[in-house]
Structure formats: structure tokens, C-alpha cells
Amino acid sequence: MKKKVISMVLSGMMIMSLAACGETAADTTAPAAEETPKAETQTAETTATETTATETADASAAAYDPATAGDVTVGFGWWGNQVRDEVTKAACDHFTELYPNVTFNLNSQAWNDYWAQMTSFSSSDTLPDLMQQDYAYFEQWVEAGDLLDLTPYVESGALDLSKIPESIVDTGKSASDGHIYAICAGMNAPALSYNKTLTDELGITVPDNMTWDQFAEISKQIYDAKGIGVVWHNFNSENPIAYFARGKGHNALFEADGVTVTEEEMTEFYTRLQNAVAEGWLFDTDKFASVDTATIPQSPLVYGSDPSVRSWCSFNFSNQYMAFCDAAKADGIELGITTWPEDNGAQANYLKPSQFFSITTDTQNPDLAVAILNYLINDVDANTLLRAERGVPANSEVAAAIADTVSQTDYTYPIIVSYLDMVSKNSTSIFPPLPGYAGTVNTDVIEGITSRALSKNPSDTPADLAKAFVEGANKVAADY
């Protein structure tokens, strides 16, 4: 019997990670291809073959031939957007062309809906064979016994990670045992997508690695000229606070026994927000509730005829830039991309896995699931179809091999590659996976305090909010 932790339910249903992370938030809601996630796979003995059916797959990964699995349906779940849904289906359809006996039950959901549904499936041992995972939360799923240990498959060569940097492989290792439970689906970084058409019109240059004061000054200029403001991240996301904490010299926001930031530091953080609301350019709590921040086509960055419901920028991650650009075309808007504002940007910024692919312990044929995972990571044709929508492929040879083809259909690919190169030279190492209690901090602490901080008529001082955050987060950690 798998261990089911109640914190997963609490964190999984409401955390915004515009991943995101997740950050980690969902872009659009796409209907599931079918409601039933349970893989209808059949157990089969591992069979050695000379090669896989696709020539682009690495020969060392030919430990199992999917053609020997019989007629099977493989469950695959992810959160995402319309573009992600389309490219993922295309890659799965290609696998079915190679192996007609293997079909897929594809299940795409919006971010919140995804975690709520997967948590429900976990409770009934009906998780899909493969599921998308988030860097911040996969540790909880390991604790619950829901994710398959992939280490033996890596050691045997059935899952080939030889072309992925060791530092990236390590991000999928559990702190509990050092084993691999998640494989990076693509690389990304925190990114501020912004309305370049608007900034060009106003003669404003948006610099990389801008400070908070620079960001505030640009935002005030735009608000005064056009009445267009800024939507601040998401109410229950740890990401902006973690970024701020890293800028203050802390590698991570969360440690095993609580948060790293001090009340004095968090007072500065909440002072920024209250000042911005008072100046008018940052959406207050009531105004925030009047816009849709969960779906990219309705994002205030690209949607809304009234300037009062528009935002000149959006805090997200680089792998979402393509979807935002697609949505912006409807209004003839060109978008730019830069780093989140922070006073010590090079210290705050980081490269991260945009998402992971994991195999669940509910799969009936782990060898087949591993073969599919190997295809998604290492097959050039698969990644050409996936279009780097989840981020630049972690396999460096695949990333290079698809560049020309993907760039023909997606002009944002070389932009993202260039952006990640810039970030790699202006960043520090990513923080460890979040501890299990972090999800509860998001929903039970951060959400309410952010709402209070962005109130149009605040009754709390920044010091009050800072004290509530630090004490609240540390209590959750102590009680976990």
C-alpha cells in the first residue's frame, strides 16, 4: 500500500507554480482526451532487441521493444496550454506510427485541475503511466510512493541520460535516497514577458537584469502614459519570495525547519508591494480578481480592450514565452523577454527544469513506460514535434539537432536559447526541491498575506505582514 500524504492534497490543489514551475501556473485548460487515466497496459517480460523502431533513438536504449507489449493503451497526464496539448499529441501519435500496438490515453488539464485530479487518482491507485511533474513538488510524490525509481533503468541503459548534463540529471534525484524519480522535460528560467510594441511606442528600453527601482520607474512611466499597470505574480506562489530571498543571498527560501528570510528582509519585500499599489501601477486585490491570470489567451498581457485591465508585462517562465507570443498575435503585439526585476539579479536568477517526466508506480508495464520516456527525451523526431514547448531539451545533442527545424515554425526558439544563454552567465545554482510543507505554506500562509499586502486600503504595515509570513511559515514547518 502506497503512503498517501495529506499535505499533497493541500499543496497540489491550489499551488501556483508558473512552471511552473510554474510559477508555475497553467496556461490554458484543455479537455482530457478521455476521463479514465488508468493505463490499460499488459505486463510483459523485458525483451532485448538489436535496435528500436526509430533510427534516431539511441541504440543503448533498446533493452525493451515496445512491439512486444501487445495491444496496449498508455496513460499520459500533464498540465499545460493549447500549444502543449497539440505538440504532445503529435509526438505520441508518431510513437503510435512506429508501434501501432501502442496507443495513448492523453489527459491534459489546467494547473490546479491537474494536481487535484492526479491526487484523486493517486488515492485510488489509478495514476497514468507517465505524468508531468514539477520541480517544487515531486519530492512529495516520492514520499507518497507514487513515482517509480528510474535508477535501475538508467544503470542498465534502457533510459539513456548520457547526453544530459549531470547537474540537470541531479535535479530529478530525491533527497531521501539519491535515486532518480524524474527526468527533465526541458530547461527554462524565470522570465518577464512584456509588451515590446508598447514600450517601443513610448521609447522605453527594458534592460536585462534590471533592479526593482528600474522596474518600478518603467511601470510608473507606462501607467502614467497609458493607464496600463502590472499584475503581480500569483497570490499563492512562493516563486517571487524565493527569487527575492535569493537576491538577498539565500540560495533557497525553504529549509527543513522553516524559511531562510528574516522579518527585516520580508518587511522590505512587502513595502515594495504596498508602495506600488499606492502609486496605482500595481493591481490591487480587487482589481486582480477582475482579470483572468490562469489562461494565457485571457492574460492581461495579451487580452482586454480597457487599459485598466491590461498589464504591460507578465511574470512567468521562459518556456511559456512561445504560448504568450502566439496569443499576442491576435492584437498585433510583439513581445519581449527579460529577467524578473531584483536588486541582485545575477544572485537571484537560475536555470531550472521547466517540468519533469515521471513514471508512476501504478503503471502495469514499467519497461514500456521507460521506452516511451526514453523516446520523449532522446528521439530527435519526437522533440522536433514537441517543438521545445516545455523548454529547451535537456539532451544537448537533441537541442542542437532540432534547432533549425523548430526555428522554421517557431521563431521564439532561438530567442529562448539566447535568453537561457544570457541567464546561464548571470545566475547561481538552483535551490533544492522544496520540502513537503512548502505547499501548505503557499495555500495557508502566502495567499492570505499577499491579498492583504495588495489591498487598496491596507490595514497591515509591511512589518506586520513580514512577521505573519515568517512566523506562519515556520509554524507550518514545525507542525509538518
Side-chain angles (χ1 to χ4, degrees):
M1 179 70 67
K2 291 181 294 184
K3 174 188 175 186
K4 303 298 176 185
V5 284
I6 196 167
S7 65
M8 185 182 299
V9 178
L10 294 172
S11 63
M13 291 183 67
M14 290 301 296
I15 299 167
M16 288 290 184
S17 173
L18 284 176
C21 154
E23 165 79 47
T24 37
D27 305 331
T28 62
T29 302
E34 297 179 30
E35 293 183 356
T36 305
K38 183 65 176 178
E40 299 169 5
T41 53
Q42 301 174 6
T43 303
E45 295 297 324
T46 301
T47 304
T49 59
E50 293 181 1
T51 61
T52 58
T54 176
E55 294 179 359
T56 53
D58 191 286
S60 67
Y64 182 80
D65 182 0
T68 67
D71 293 334
V72 295
T73 299
V74 176
F76 187 3
W78 68 89
W79 71 86
N81 55 70
Q82 184 176 352
V83 176
R84 182 172 302 165
D85 298 343
E86 291 171 354
V87 299
T88 307
K89 183 179 184 302
C92 291
D93 286 347
H94 179 62
F95 191 90
T96 298
E97 291 175 8
L98 298 171
Y99 303 100
N101 60 302
V102 180
T103 56
F104 290 87
N105 177 358
L106 304 179
N107 191 332
S108 171
Q109 302 292 331
W111 171 267
N112 283 352
D113 296 336
Y114 175 80
W115 293 110
Q117 187 180 75
M118 292 300 128
T119 299
S120 176
F121 292 160
S122 170
S123 299
S124 58
D125 296 335
T126 56
L127 284 164
D129 298 75
L130 293 99
M131 69 177 295
Q132 195 167 278
Q133 268 292 340
D134 186 82
Y135 181 74
Y137 313 118
F138 85 88
E139 195 74 62
Q140 297 178 50
W141 290 77
V142 173
E143 290 177 3
D146 282 316
L147 303 186
L148 186 70
D149 184 356
L150 300 173
T151 309
Y153 297 94
V154 175
E155 293 174 347
S156 72
L159 183 56
D160 180 16
L161 305 185
S162 63
K163 300 300 188 293
I164 299 178
E166 184 176 356
S167 60
I168 302 304
V169 173
D170 287 347
T171 61
K173 292 182 177 179
S174 170
S176 63
D177 58 13
H179 290 190
I180 300 170
Y181 292 89
I183 306 299
C184 176
M187 293 302 301
N188 72 355
L192 189 80
S193 298
Y194 66 92
N195 187 333
K196 190 173 185 298
T197 299
L198 174 63
T199 56
D200 285 352
E201 176 190 339
L202 296 175
I204 295 172
T205 298
V206 180
D208 294 330
N209 301 307
M210 63 180 151
T211 65
W212 178 265
D213 286 345
Q214 287 176 306
F215 175 71
E217 181 58 33
I218 290 172
S219 298
K220 283 187 280 188
Q221 284 183 256
I222 293 173
Y223 183 72
D224 290 344
K226 296 290 187 177
I228 296 174
V230 173
V231 173
W232 173 252
H233 286 271
N234 288 284
F235 272 48
N236 57 345
S237 171
E238 85 288 342
N239 285 301
I241 303 177
Y243 201 80
F244 171 81
R246 286 170 57 83
K248 291 297 181 183
H250 307 287
N251 174 254
L253 173 62
F254 296 108
E255 293 182 328
D257 58 352
V259 292
T260 59
V261 288
T262 65
E263 289 186 22
E264 181 180 4
E265 289 168 335
M266 289 306 297
T267 297
E268 177 185 343
F269 178 84
Y270 289 118
T271 297
R272 288 179 176 180
L273 300 189
Q274 288 197 341
N275 286 346
V277 169
E279 290 168 353
W281 58 266
L282 192 67
F283 278 39
D284 60 53
T285 303
D286 293 341
K287 192 173 177 182
F288 189 99
S290 68
V291 296
D292 183 353
T293 60
T295 59
I296 286 179
Q298 279 74 49
S299 165
L301 174 62
V302 297
Y303 177 80
S305 58
D306 186 339
S308 69
V309 294
R310 297 297 293 267
S311 176
W312 76 268
C313 61
S314 177
F315 291 81
N316 42 73
F317 282 78
S318 59
N319 66 302
Q320 295 176 298
Y321 182 65
M322 176 175 66
F324 270 102
C325 286
D326 283 350
K329 290 177 183 177
D331 277 352
I333 296 172
E334 178 188 358
L335 298 184
I337 185 170
T338 188
T339 49
W340 290 355
E342 191 47 68
D343 292 344
N344 190 349
Q347 172 68 33
N349 218 350
Y350 54 89
L351 293 173
K352 73 178 291 288
S354 56
Q355 302 97 28
F356 290 109
F357 292 134
S358 291
I359 297 173
T360 74
T361 49
D362 289 342
T363 182
Q364 297 299 302
N365 190 338
D367 294 329
L368 174 59
V370 167
I372 296 169
L373 176 55
N374 191 73
Y375 161 81
L376 294 170
I377 297 299
N378 295 314
D379 189 278
V380 172
D381 289 342
N383 281 274
T384 299
L385 293 167
L386 289 170
R387 292 173 52 193
E389 188 280 332
R390 287 179 170 85
V392 176
N395 181 320
S396 56
E397 291 188 1
V398 168
I402 70 172
D404 289 343
T405 302
V406 172
S407 296
Q408 291 175 14
T409 56
D410 175 21
Y411 74 92
T412 68
Y413 184 75
I415 296 174
I416 295 304
V417 170
S418 176
Y419 177 72
L420 293 183
D421 180 64
M422 183 275 291
V423 171
S424 71
K425 299 170 183 173
N426 295 274
S427 61
T428 57
S429 60
I430 191 173
F431 44 86
L434 273 62
Y437 74 83
T440 305
V441 173
N442 276 290
T443 54
D444 291 3
V445 179
I446 293 177
E447 182 174 6
I449 294 177
T450 304
S451 180
R452 290 155 57 187
L454 299 182
S455 173
K456 192 171 184 178
N457 299 296
S459 57
D460 302 282
T461 67
D464 293 335
L465 299 170
K467 180 180 178 65
F469 170 75
V470 173
E471 291 185 351
N474 289 343
K475 184 178 187 305
V476 170
D479 293 344
Y480 181 71

